[in-house]
Structures are given as structure tokens and as C-alpha cells.
Amino acid sequence: MKTLHKYLVGQVLATLLLTVAVFAFVVLLLNVLKDVLPLLFSGNASLWLVAKAIGLLLPFACVYALPMGFITATLLVFGRFSAEQELTAARAGGISLLSLISPVLLLSLLCCVLSAWFNMDIGPRSRVAFLNLKHDMVAEMANAQIPEGRYINEFRNYIIYVRKNDGGNLEDVMIYKVENESNVVATVIAPSGKIVSSPIGPLPILHLDRPQTFRVSPNGAPNVMSFSQFDLDLNGLESSSKAQTNKVVKPKISDMTFLQLRQELRNLERLNLGVAPAATSTNVSAELRSQLTAMQKQQKDFIEPVRVAMHREIAFSFACFGFTLVGIPLGIRVHRRETNIGILMALVLVMVYYAFVMLGNSLSGRPEFFPHLILWVPNFIFQAVGAVLLWRANRGI
């Protein structure tokens, strides 16, 4: 029994290392072709910086390569194990399939822990380090100071949020004026804007179109004002001590670690309280209450992408276990030695899994659909289907 366990675990590990290396190379190659080679050919980066960028991208590539490699390894190993009648011989010796694969299932759980480390910490950190290196090489300072999808608290008493920054063209801009770090006293919301250069300093000017200003008076009465345009010169704002010591480009939500996402969620929930009390006040008109309610809903919409990113990092960490439960019985049923069949099946299953991930990400701005829960659906499906298939394979059905 121990000999069979060592044999299967050794085969899975050897195939896993090979498949992870192949998939990591593919993911790495796509990122290199997209982000690194243009910098090298343009003369903005040396070979040393390119090598450093590739090294920083490698942990990020492993985030996706590890689950893909594990399902491919199980399909190939158990397909060959069944095709060569080794499984039949083990059953003839009185060994059940479940007892035979128990070390492989344990290995998949260990890979889940490793995947969680890559997903929730080292992967995002390496991605951010690569982006910082890339921004240093291309010197896009203006756009780097206003990253999209990020609450920027680099300026004392001001917090800036931009949902989208497309080459300096901004969408859904929110500017909070705060006191005591978390008490919001005024909020400026604009559907669009752009970044323009400032004549008085290196920082840009935020030119906002059709902004609305929400302010709470000292007696607690809310006040909303609309303007045709509004300019905020960042050079006129006093920098916080944090900004003076932190010069790197801040990460987007999709590039944050789990701990950073949790802190971001807490900050957003605390900022959300700036509008909520006024929206429920009985001392405001129906029209103003409607505007405040819309603002409150918009703020909640900004919270959901953070929640989706947190659940994505956790849920994707369990992919190895679900892939193993499905890959083992499918490999046995296919009963083929050829590697092309196993790789094709693995790619199809990975595409099915990622379809749910992409669906959850696409609905991150629609909290009414609970996109953070959609990210858990493929895990439940793969684990349930895999458990049924294993039960049937164990009984020889």
C-alpha cells in the first residue's frame, strides 16, 4: 500500500512540476509580450530591468499556473494509471480507489495552502512591484499619481477616488474633504473629468465636469450644490506625512493583498457613514433625500469591487482541491495514455471555472446580484460533481 502511495504521489508531483512550469511560462510570456518587450524595444529599459521585471511577474503567473497544472497532472497520471491496467490490478488486490488516492487528496489540500499564499499575498505584491518598476521605466508620473479604482489619501484632509483613468480621461470621480482622518464634511462627485498639467508645480490639475458638492453644515443640515466645472490643483494641497515617505505607485484593487483589501473595505465602510445619516434625516426635502440616497447607493457600489476581490482570492485558493476531485475520476474514465487528451480536458475544465470568475468580476459594480458569492459557485460545482464521480468510480460504475 505504501509503495502504491509513493508511486502515485511521485508521479503526480513530477507531472505537476512540469505542467506548472509550462503554464507559468505561457502566462509569463503573454505578460512579457504585452508589458515588457515594448519597453525594451523603445529603449526605456535595460536587459537587467527586463530580467527583474520577469522575475517579479513569475509569482503572479504561478497564481494561475498552479491550479491549471494540478488538474492537468491528475488527468494525465490517472488516465495513464487506468489505461495500463494498474488500477485494475490494485482493485484485484483489495485496495479501494478512495484509499488509493487519499495521499493525492492530501497533496491537493497542501497545494491549496500554497495557492492561498500566492493568491492573497506574494502574487499581488509581486504584481505591484512590477507595476511600480514599469511606471518608473516609462515615467508616467501624472497618471501614476491618480490610479484608477483606488482611494488616494496622499493629501492631508482630502481623499480622491477615480473609477477609471484612461490616459488622463477620468470617469466617476469622488473627492472627500475630511476632518480627523475619517469625518467627511464635504463630498464632490463628478461623472467625468480629465488630468491637465499645472503651471505652478509638478502635480496635475483635476478638471471635473458637472460636479455636485454635498456639504454638511455645522448644525447638521445637508446642502447640495451643482457646478458646470471644477478644478482642483493638487499642488495647492498639503501633502500628508504618509505621502512624503511613500513614493511608489499605489495598487489597484485587483492588485491588493488580502490584508490590504480588508483595510480598504474598512475605510470604505467608514467613509460611507458620511452620507448615510443625512439620507435618513427627516429634516430634508424629498428631492434632496433622493439625491442623498443615490449618493449613498453609489458609495455602496464602490464597496462591492473590494468585496469581490477579497472573495476571489479566497475562493480561487480552493481550486486545486475541486480540480483534483474532478480530475481523478475523469482521468480514470477517459482511460487513455495520450497527453493531448488530458491537456484538452484540463483546458476545458479550467475555462468553465474561469467563466464563473469572469462573471463575478464583470458584475462587481452590481451588488444586487451578489457577485462575491458567484465566485464560490465553481468550487461548489466542481467539488460536488467530483465527489459523485469518485463515489461512482470507487464502486466501479
Side-chain angles (χ1 to χ4, degrees):
M1 189 67 172
K2 291 183 178 180
T3 302
L4 278 176
H5 284 169
K6 290 181 180 179
Y7 171 73
L8 280 176
V9 172
Q11 289 291 312
V12 171
L13 276 176
T15 310
L16 177 63
L17 292 176
L18 179 61
T19 53
V20 168
V22 171
F23 286 121
F25 174 78
V26 173
V27 176
L28 191 61
L29 181 62
L30 294 176
N31 283 274
V32 168
L33 292 176
K34 177 184 176 182
D35 296 323
V36 178
L37 286 187
L39 298 177
L40 179 63
F41 292 151
S42 64
N44 292 322
S46 62
L47 289 176
W48 163 247
L49 288 178
V50 170
K52 184 178 179 180
I54 294 176
L56 291 173
L57 282 173
L58 184 58
F60 177 75
C62 290
V63 169
Y64 302 95
L66 184 58
M68 296 169 64
F70 209 102
I71 189 172
T72 306
T74 54
L75 285 168
L76 294 178
V77 170
F78 283 92
R80 187 168 57 248
F81 190 74
S82 176
E84 296 177 353
Q85 305 301 322
E86 293 175 311
L87 178 60
T88 303
R91 282 174 169 170
I95 301 175
S96 67
L97 177 62
L98 294 181
S99 61
L100 188 66
I101 66 172
S102 56
V104 179
L105 294 179
L106 179 60
L107 178 63
S108 70
L109 293 176
L110 294 177
C111 285
C112 287
V113 177
L114 182 62
S115 181
W117 181 45
F118 277 103
N119 276 287
M120 302 170 66
D121 187 71
I122 189 173
R125 288 185 185 277
S126 64
R127 176 68 176 174
V128 170
F130 165 75
L131 292 177
N132 289 335
L133 178 65
K134 178 184 174 183
H135 279 287
D136 289 340
M137 288 190 289
V138 299
E140 295 178 347
M141 295 304 298
N143 287 336
Q145 289 160 350
I146 310 295
E148 62 182 25
R150 190 71 179 87
Y151 275 81
I152 307 165
N153 56 352
E154 306 299 336
F155 307 100
R156 193 180 304 276
N157 299 330
Y158 284 91
I159 299 176
I160 302 172
Y161 177 89
V162 176
R163 185 183 66 83
K164 185 176 181 180
N165 181 357
D166 185 11
N169 295 317
L170 311 178
E171 295 182 11
D172 294 335
V173 183
M174 299 184 67
I175 301 175
Y176 296 93
K177 185 175 182 180
V178 298
E179 292 180 353
N180 300 324
E181 296 185 354
S182 61
N183 184 25
V184 180
V185 295
T187 304
V188 179
I189 298 179
S192 62
K194 61 182 179 180
I195 297 176
V196 297
S197 59
S198 173
I200 64 173
L203 299 179
I205 296 176
L206 299 186
H207 177 81
L208 307 182
D209 299 322
R210 304 184 309 279
Q212 281 189 324
T213 301
F214 166 71
R215 185 183 299 272
V216 179
S217 62
N219 58 7
N223 183 24
V224 176
M225 295 180 293
S226 300
F227 304 91
S228 60
Q229 64 181 27
F230 176 79
D231 291 337
L232 179 65
D233 193 339
L234 300 183
N235 294 282
L237 303 182
E238 183 182 1
S239 298
S240 64
S241 58
K242 181 179 179 181
Q244 295 171 0
T245 58
N246 185 13
K247 297 298 183 181
V248 298
V249 178
K250 285 197 169 182
K252 297 189 295 185
I253 290 175
S254 59
D255 297 328
M256 290 185 180
T257 66
F258 182 79
L259 294 179
Q260 291 172 334
L261 287 169
R262 187 175 63 176
Q263 184 60 44
E264 187 78 4
L265 182 62
R266 291 175 178 173
N267 293 339
L268 294 181
E269 289 175 343
R270 185 163 57 246
L271 286 173
N272 192 42
L273 300 177
V275 176
T280 57
S281 174
T282 59
N283 298 326
V284 299
S285 64
E287 180 180 0
L288 182 55
R289 185 181 295 110
S290 176
Q291 292 179 339
L292 295 175
T293 303
M295 293 173 61
Q296 184 181 6
K297 181 181 181 301
Q298 187 176 16
Q299 287 179 318
K300 290 182 178 179
D301 292 343
F302 292 145
I303 294 178
E304 190 62 23
V306 180
R307 187 177 287 115
V308 168
M310 293 177 65
H311 281 261
R312 183 182 65 245
E313 291 185 356
I314 301 175
F316 194 55
S317 301
F318 291 92
C320 289
F321 183 66
F323 284 165
T324 304
L325 291 178
V326 173
I328 291 175
L330 284 182
I332 293 174
R333 286 180 177 271
V334 171
H335 200 75
R336 300 287 292 273
R337 296 183 179 90
E338 293 85 352
T339 58
N340 55 348
I341 300 297
I343 294 176
L344 179 61
M345 291 181 60
L347 292 177
V348 171
L349 292 174
V350 168
M351 290 175 61
V352 172
Y353 189 98
Y354 275 107
F356 286 93
V357 177
M358 294 173 63
L359 178 61
N361 289 334
S362 64
L363 295 175
S364 61
R366 304 290 298 276
E368 63 271 18
F369 292 114
F370 302 100
H372 60 283
L373 299 181
I374 295 177
L375 300 172
W376 290 94
V377 172
N379 283 334
F380 295 143
I381 292 178
F382 274 65
Q383 291 175 16
V385 172
V388 173
L389 292 177
L390 274 178
W391 176 78
R392 292 172 62 89
N394 187 57
R395 299 189 59 183
I397 301 177

